[in-house]
Amino acid sequence: MKKIISTMHTIKAPSENVWANISKATGVNEWLPVITACQLDGDKRVCLTEQGEMNETILKVDNTNQVFQYSIDSQPLLPIENVVGTMKVNEKGEQTQLQWDLEFTIKDESLFEMVKQAVESMYGEGANGLEKISK
């Protein structure tokens, strides 16, 4: 069954800096602690974690609307499939509002709460990391 986890983060940094760090698609390891290394080859991104390799496809980099979208083609972290992540950056005065959503399917519904907590925690850490490198 298809699920969506939607998170909202206030980042105390200028939106243009936050967007620059997200939209370049590389350097994810600089702001998302679960990622230890990241390489980009065209629209394919490979991120390494302690659990193994995560293979992604960059689907959209919309500089006008500041929307970054990616699919996770394979990953060792969570029991989910058909994964699409969307990050939307909005200027909010001198701060940034980051909406970060994850759409996926999950075979075992009983694992949804665990997945939700893991994603919310990971995305919170990512927002904190983006804040640190975007000031």
Side-chain angles (χ1 to χ4, degrees):
M1 182 172 201
K2 192 167 200 127
K3 299 285 188 185
I4 298 175
I5 297 171
S6 185
T7 66
M8 192 68 74
H9 310 273
T10 299
I11 298 173
K12 296 176 185 141
S15 62
E16 60 270 10
N17 296 356
V18 174
W19 176 246
N21 283 308
I22 292 170
S23 63
K24 68 181 178 180
T26 59
V28 179
N29 52 300
E30 296 171 17
W31 52 267
L32 188 58
V34 72
I35 305 299
T36 57
C38 181
Q39 288 186 310
L40 187 67
D41 184 11
D43 66 349
K44 298 294 183 186
R45 180 166 69 181
V46 177
C47 295
L48 300 180
T49 72
E50 288 183 8
Q51 290 77 21
E53 195 171 272
M54 187 166 6
N55 294 287
E56 302 177 335
T57 302
I58 307 304
L59 302 174
K60 179 192 297 187
V61 181
D62 179 345
N63 289 309
T64 303
N65 297 304
Q66 295 187 320
V67 175
F68 183 86
Q69 190 172 61
Y70 57 96
S71 66
I72 302 176
D73 307 317
S74 64
Q75 53 85 24
L77 301 174
L78 296 167
I80 59 177
E81 301 175 325
N82 307 310
V83 183
V84 175
T86 305
M87 303 174 83
K88 171 115 179 69
V89 172
N90 287 301
E91 184 178 338
K92 193 171 184 184
E94 294 180 10
Q95 298 182 344
T96 300
Q97 196 75 37
L98 171 64
Q99 180 177 342
W100 195 350
D101 299 342
L102 194 70
E103 291 181 49
F104 57 90
T105 55
I106 186 166
K107 288 180 182 172
D108 186 345
E109 294 277 333
S110 71
L111 298 175
F112 177 72
E113 277 307 313
M114 179 275 295
V115 168
K116 185 174 188 284
Q117 288 178 6
V119 168
E120 288 173 347
S121 174
M122 186 172 28
Y123 284 7
E125 291 174 0
N128 290 339
L130 280 165
E131 182 173 291
K132 286 178 188 162
I133 68 167
S134 298
K135 287 193 173 192

